Amino acid sequence: MLRGKKVLLGVTGSIAAYKTTFLTRLLIKAGAEVKVVLSPAARDFVTPLTLATLSKNPVQWEYFDREDESGEWHNHVDLGLWADCMIIAPATSNTLSKMASGACDNFLLGVYMSAKCPVYFAPAMDLDMYKHPATLENIEKLQSFGNRFIPAGTGELASGLEGEGRMAEPEDIVDFIGKDLLKGMPLEGKKVLINAGPTHEAIDPVRFIGNHSSGKMGVALAERAYSMGAEVSLVLGPGSVMPVESSIAVYHVVSAREMNDKCRELFQEADIAILSAAVADYRPKDAATQKIKKSGEDIHIQLIENPDILKGLGELKGDKQVLVGFALETQNAIENAIAKLHKKNCDLIVLNTPSKKGSGFGHDTNEVTLIDRKENQYPLELKSKSEIAQEILQHICNHLL
Ligand code: PMT
């Protein structure tokens, strides 16, 4: 959820400020662009150089640089408006109180007051300060402003006392924000099952029957579904690209039968299933247990049919489940895709015509036509697989949920 987001991290003067070095790293790792703002007291605990190096951006704490006589100043309003979200961590009792009352006696507070984006705050203080009625009132007031409260943890405090007041761990802060940003998304609360990539059907221990699928289309669907708020399971064939989003549950499989078993298991819980994998229709009847040796004679491999995963899910499909198939056609494309849609009991089929330039196996782009049960056709022009994935999912949200 944080990929590509502009995150402003406001650090105030608490010993927990040292944890913001890890927090900055995690935010960068999650794909965010990070800028850090310090309160004057925060500089006693963590250096601007450390945070500038980790965030790859200059760190600011004053309206102007006292050594610079050019008269240039740091614009708190621009910075507040730049951010997609602001995190104040650690938020000391002093800063909470100023945020709640509108006091604005430092650069960080000026940025906070200018920010129109969601603001998260993670308090850090000693246990009695944390439980003090003034703190509780400030937290409540900030929540009434729409600011999001990330509760402190319990454990050993800098004072040596044990109790509540430790700043939430950086991993928990990132997790909290990621989940919060998903709220209100079109696929929030939906479980989406996607399969992708090829299958490999063993001929012997070193050879297989496969195809050219890279898995890019299915991975794009998984990432877009996740960014639209879904809980995503991805059943992925061998050698396929991997999603960058680590919250997507990935199940690696090799053969069509393994893919079938995993998809059938996950389909029971799924609200939406999208089958983009290029599954081998046939497999060798008997895979050799040892490498087949060259004998100077032609050999024949007997192939038998694999299970049709999509058709099987179509038979299991409940009233509230949405099933989307793909169709890869080289002739009579529309006609064949419509036949597959009905035969496999899909709600929607995505027709791929690999003969079109930039479309199908391996490319970063695709050109497809969506066909629904009423046989309405929605052609989507050549776009990145990610954009095509977005359009497929948007179509599902608009017409099938
Ligand atoms: O992975 P990429 O390189 O990004 O390429 C993407 C893609 C071209 C593989 C993808 O966009 C695509 O078209 N996938 C479907 C490929 C295919 O096998 O189509 P099909 O017409 O043979 O199958 C129709 C549907 O039945 C598909 O949803 C397929 O997953 C499913 N099927 C087919 C056979 C089988 N035994 N079980 C199945 O579930």
Side-chain angles (χ1 to χ4, degrees), residues 282-326:
Y282 292 92
R283 68 174 183 275
K285 183 166 180 275
D286 300 302
T289 51
Q290 302 299 328
K291 185 180 170 195
I292 299 170
K293 294 266 180 236
K294 207 153 80 172
S295 64
E297 309 235 326
D298 292 349
I299 59 164
H300 299 273
I301 298 171
Q302 189 185 349
L303 301 179
I304 57 167
E305 233 180 297
N306 264 329
D308 188 317
I309 307 172
L310 180 61
K311 189 159 177 279
L313 298 193
E315 284 157 8
L316 292 176
K317 184 162 81 87
D319 289 345
K320 293 201 171 129
Q321 288 178 302
V322 173
L323 183 60
V324 178
F326 269 67

Side-chain angles (χ1 to χ4, degrees), residues 195-198 211-218 256 275-281 306-311 324-329 340 344 349-352 360-363 366 368 385:
N195 73 4
N211 60 64
H212 299 293
S213 172
S214 61
K216 285 180 186 172
M217 189 65 242
L275 275 66
S276 71
V279 185
D281 285 323
N306 264 329
D308 188 317
I309 307 172
L310 180 61
K311 189 159 177 279
V324 178
F326 269 67
L328 188 71
E329 301 296 340
K340 277 182 189 169
K344 303 192 185 196
I349 199 138
V350 182
L351 168 62
N352 235 141
F361 289 133
H363 296 285
N366 212 356
V368 300
K385 282 186 172 163

Side-chain angles (χ1 to χ4, degrees), residues 28 83 104 113 119 184 240 277 285 295 338 377 386 388:
I28 296 278
C104 191
M113 298 282 284
V119 176
S240 305
K285 183 166 180 275
S295 64
I338 290 174
Q377 296 172 26
S386 182
I388 293 285

Side-chain angles (χ1 to χ4, degrees), residues 3-181:
R3 184 158 306 283
K5 292 261 186 308
K6 296 181 185 127
V7 178
L8 200 52
L9 174 61
V11 182
T12 74
S14 152
I15 180 62
Y18 84 89
K19 291 190 193 171
T20 58
T21 55
F22 300 103
L23 180 56
T24 305
R25 276 291 300 136
L26 288 176
L27 291 167
I28 296 278
K29 233 174 126 190
E33 186 183 345
V34 182
K35 289 190 180 177
V36 183
V37 180
L38 303 178
S39 74
R43 289 174 62 212
D44 294 332
F45 296 94
V46 66
T47 72
L49 180 62
T50 310
L51 291 167
T53 309
L54 292 169
S55 67
K56 303 183 181 75
N57 269 313
V59 170
Q60 294 173 5
W61 62 91
E62 280 183 315
Y63 285 97
F64 57 91
D65 183 348
R66 287 170 200 283
E67 316 240 300
D68 180 357
E69 288 174 2
S70 69
E72 261 194 53
W73 63 294
H74 303 144
N75 191 329
H76 56 293
V77 178
D78 278 357
L79 206 50
L81 297 181
W82 168 85
D84 294 318
C85 78
M86 180 169 189
I87 311 166
I88 301 185
T92 58
S93 154
N94 184 38
T95 295
L96 287 185
S97 147
K98 289 180 183 177
M99 286 163 67
S101 66
C104 191
D105 65 353
N106 66 43
F107 183 71
L108 186 151
L109 289 162
V111 176
Y112 163 70
M113 298 282 284
S114 310
K116 291 206 172 118
C117 57
V119 176
Y120 299 85
F121 62 100
M125 61 197 77
D126 217 62
L127 75 168
D128 294 317
M129 294 169 77
Y130 192 57
K131 287 215 178 93
H132 194 283
T135 305
L136 299 179
E137 202 176 289
N138 288 333
I139 291 175
E140 212 175 293
K141 199 158 171 199
L142 289 174
Q143 287 179 287
S144 78
F145 297 163
N147 296 171
R148 273 81 148 179
F149 166 47
I150 306 179
T154 304
E156 194 187 335
L157 299 163
S159 61
L161 297 172
E162 287 267 339
E164 213 177 349
R166 284 164 68 97
M167 186 181 87
E169 292 305 321
E171 292 80 2
D172 297 334
I173 293 178
V174 172
D175 196 48
F176 184 101
I177 295 170
K179 287 200 177 117
D180 192 72
L181 290 173

